[in-house]
């Protein structure tokens, strides 16, 4: 479908553009004077579509130690869908992670979409510095701080599995959590090791 997407003209893309913003309006999101953040890890798979439908969009690409990512996905009681079924075993979760990240790396030089990468571990270590760099990338007034992001969770504005963690605020307990389960992760290390090396996330 990528060739068809690339060849599509504005009238062909218009119905999809309208459908996206209709979904936003249905969610009762107030956009006046605000920046819409559409946060979903699987948006990685839609990067070419995002670039074509939303040419003014900017992508924030969050990375984390792959061992922690795979372990976290495996342990979460996600509602079943085509994506979440990949997390029913450590092996399939690792293979899915490898496939998605490989696609993301291959796509980035091919699509016209500004992208800013943040490492979770760096964010925990230097929240203010990473936030300042993010604001610069997004062109946001740093006075519009999100440092008290926990208030959104307490106000019931977050409806995902992460709401409990978000309400706690930023903490470092999630960094290196894989070490407690290192023996169980040994079989999938050959799949994850290239990404561990690429993201520089510490000891293997």
């Amino acid at each position: 479908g990528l060739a068809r997407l690339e060849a599509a003209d504005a009238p062909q893309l218009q119905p999809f553009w309208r459908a996206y913003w209709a979904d936003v309006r249905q969610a009762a999101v107030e956009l006046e004077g605000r920046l819409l953040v559409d946060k979903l890890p699987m948006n990685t798979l839609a990067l070419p579509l995002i670039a074509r439908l939303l040419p003014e969009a900017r992508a924030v690409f969050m990375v984390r130690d792959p061992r922690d990512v795979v372990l976290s996905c495996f342990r979460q009681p996600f509602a079943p869908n085509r994506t979440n079924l990949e997390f029913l075993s450590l092996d399939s979760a690792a293979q899915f992670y490898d496939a998605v990240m490989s696609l993301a790396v291959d796509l980035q030089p091919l699509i016209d979409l500004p992208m800013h990468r943040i490492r979770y571990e760096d964010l925990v270590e230097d929240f203010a510095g990473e936030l300042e760099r993010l604001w610069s990338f997004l062109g946001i007034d740093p006075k519009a701080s999100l440092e008290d992001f926990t208030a959104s969770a307490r106000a019931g504005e977050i409806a995902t599995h992460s709401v409990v963690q978000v309400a706690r605020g930023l903490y470092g307990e999630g960094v290196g959590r894989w070490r407690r389960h290192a023996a169980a992760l040994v079989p999938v290390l050959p799949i994850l090791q290239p990404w561990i090396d690429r993201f520089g996330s510490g000891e293997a």
Side-chain angles (χ1 to χ4, degrees), residues 3 15 48 73 81 85 105 111 122 131 138 151 171 177:
C73 290
N81 61 33
L85 288 175
V105 168
I111 58 176
D122 293 340
L131 203 60
L138 295 175
Y171 58 97
R177 183 170 288 174

Side-chain angles (χ1 to χ4, degrees), residues 68-111:
D68 280 327
V69 174
V70 167
L71 180 64
S72 177
C73 290
F74 173 64
R75 296 177 64 190
Q76 288 290 342
F78 292 115
N81 61 33
R82 285 192 300 174
T83 296
N84 295 341
L85 288 175
E86 302 289 348
F87 305 140
L88 292 179
S89 76
L90 284 173
D91 182 68
S92 61
Q95 292 195 47
F96 186 63
Y97 176 93
D98 177 55
V100 172
M101 298 306 289
S102 295
L103 178 66
V105 168
D106 289 345
L107 285 174
Q108 286 180 26
L110 302 177
I111 58 176

Side-chain angles (χ1 to χ4, degrees), residues 6 31 57 103-104 133 147 171 179 200:
E6 185 178 14
L31 296 178
L103 178 66
R133 286 183 279 276
E147 292 192 29
Y171 58 97
R179 291 184 177 89

Side-chain angles (χ1 to χ4, degrees), residues 26-197:
Q26 189 173 7
V29 177
E30 176 54 54
L31 296 178
E32 185 65 32
R34 304 172 77 182
L35 179 71
L36 174 67
V37 178
D38 189 337
K39 174 190 172 292
L40 187 68
M42 287 304 102
N43 278 347
T44 302
L45 302 177
L47 285 172
L49 184 62
I50 293 168
R52 288 289 276 131
L53 290 185
L54 306 167
E56 296 182 1
R58 293 171 178 257
V60 179
F61 198 75
M62 192 83 178
V63 298
R64 183 184 179 191
D65 188 311
R67 294 161 291 194
D68 280 327
V69 174
V70 167
L71 180 64
S72 177
C73 290
F74 173 64
R75 296 177 64 190
Q76 288 290 342
F78 292 115
N81 61 33
R82 285 192 300 174
T83 296
N84 295 341
L85 288 175
E86 302 289 348
F87 305 140
L88 292 179
S89 76
L90 284 173
D91 182 68
S92 61
Q95 292 195 47
F96 186 63
Y97 176 93
D98 177 55
V100 172
M101 298 306 289
S102 295
L103 178 66
V105 168
D106 289 345
L107 285 174
Q108 286 180 26
L110 302 177
I111 58 176
D112 186 17
L113 189 67
M115 193 168 297
H116 176 69
R117 195 176 86 179
I118 301 178
R119 288 179 67 243
Y120 173 78
E121 294 82 1
D122 293 340
L123 187 66
V124 171
E125 184 175 338
D126 180 20
F127 184 63
E130 289 297 328
L131 203 60
E132 184 176 348
R133 286 183 279 276
L134 177 61
W135 285 171
S136 177
F137 170 73
L138 295 175
I140 293 178
D141 183 347
K143 293 179 182 178
S145 176
L146 286 182
E147 292 192 29
D148 188 23
F149 58 87
T150 58
S152 295
R154 290 193 295 266
E157 297 175 7
I158 299 175
T160 69
H161 283 289
S162 62
V163 65
V164 175
Q165 290 95 329
V166 174
R168 288 181 57 189
L170 196 68
Y171 58 97
E173 295 173 21
V175 176
R177 183 170 288 174
W178 65 268
R179 291 184 177 89
R180 304 177 199 167
H181 309 274
L185 289 165
V186 167
V188 301
L189 284 183
I191 302 171
L192 299 179
Q193 192 62 53
W195 301 109
I196 296 169
D197 297 339

